[in-house]
Amino acid sequence: MTRRRPGVLRTVREDLAAARRGDPAARGDLENAVVYSGLHAIWAYRIAHRLWIARDLPGSRFAARVVAQTARAFTGIEIHPGARIGRRFFIDHGMGVVIGETAVVGDDVLVFHGVTLGGRGGAHGPGAKRHPTVGDRVVLGAGSSLIGAITVGADSVVGANTVVTKDVPPGSVVTGVAGTARPRSGGEGVPSL
């Protein structure tokens, strides 16, 4: 079953609400819309992604890459237009975030600066899954790196500077280099989105 996409205005409102929930310093929608590079990056991504999947439009993939690279130059956030990102996604202090082509990100995900959803060598060719899948309501701490075609389960928290190379069960907290998952307790992480 194909999920129906919400309209543009609803998506913008949801993204602004996600910024308010994800950042206690968010002062108001107008200010956030003007100064938050994470919002600018996700909005540019949404345009680029539409172009990327518009296979019947000649040159659309090239145009998508141009939009993505322009957004990268202005925001410091690189999101490949082929990635699939859910609703109410927010990047707080986003400089240095990289999201690869085959990454899949769920709804209500909060990402901090320096996060990488990167690929691992070995999977080649069109459609080969090389990047992580991140479940709903996941928090990715500053500087964390998720590498390869792994899955981070829903309601998990990945700590700052953690390197994740293996699947993470839902409801986990992952910390360390070569991250180690353990069950998440009620008070850990940021407020639920």
Side-chain angles (χ1 to χ4, degrees):
M1 180 176 180
T2 304
R3 285 174 32 175
R4 187 169 174 239
R5 285 183 261 193
V8 172
L9 288 178
R10 181 174 177 187
T11 299
V12 168
R13 285 188 198 113
E14 286 182 351
D15 289 339
L16 289 166
R20 287 191 308 274
R21 278 192 309 276
D23 184 2
R27 288 182 168 67
D29 288 346
L30 178 60
E31 180 179 334
N32 298 346
V34 172
V35 302
Y36 274 41
S37 61
L39 288 172
H40 302 156
I42 191 64
W43 292 337
Y45 155 78
R46 294 191 197 289
I47 293 167
H49 184 69
R50 290 271 176 106
L51 288 167
W52 187 260
I53 62 175
R55 296 175 193 261
D56 58 339
L57 182 63
S60 63
R61 289 212 163 173
F62 175 75
R65 293 301 301 266
V66 169
V67 170
Q69 289 303 302
T70 302
R72 176 182 182 239
F74 281 100
T75 65
I77 298 168
E78 181 175 342
I79 305 174
H80 192 286
R84 291 184 300 159
I85 297 177
R87 296 169 63 183
R88 298 173 300 276
F89 176 75
F90 180 58
I91 303 171
D92 193 12
H93 301 288
M95 185 62 77
V97 168
V98 177
I99 300 175
E101 177 182 12
T102 63
V104 177
V105 179
D107 295 336
D108 301 303
V109 171
L110 175 60
V111 172
F112 289 93
H113 65 278
V115 167
T116 299
L117 302 183
R120 184 183 297 175
H124 298 286
K129 180 76 167 130
R130 310 183 301 283
H131 300 92
T133 297
V134 177
D136 295 338
R137 298 170 305 281
V138 170
V139 177
L140 301 177
S144 60
S145 295
L146 287 63
I147 307 298
I150 61 171
T151 299
V152 175
D155 302 303
S156 293
V157 174
V158 177
N161 296 315
T162 296
V163 177
V164 184
T165 59
K166 296 179 182 170
D167 288 347
V168 173
S172 296
V173 173
V174 188
T175 58
V177 175
T180 305
R182 61 181 169 74
R184 182 176 176 188
S185 67
E188 292 182 296
V190 297
S192 61
L193 298 173

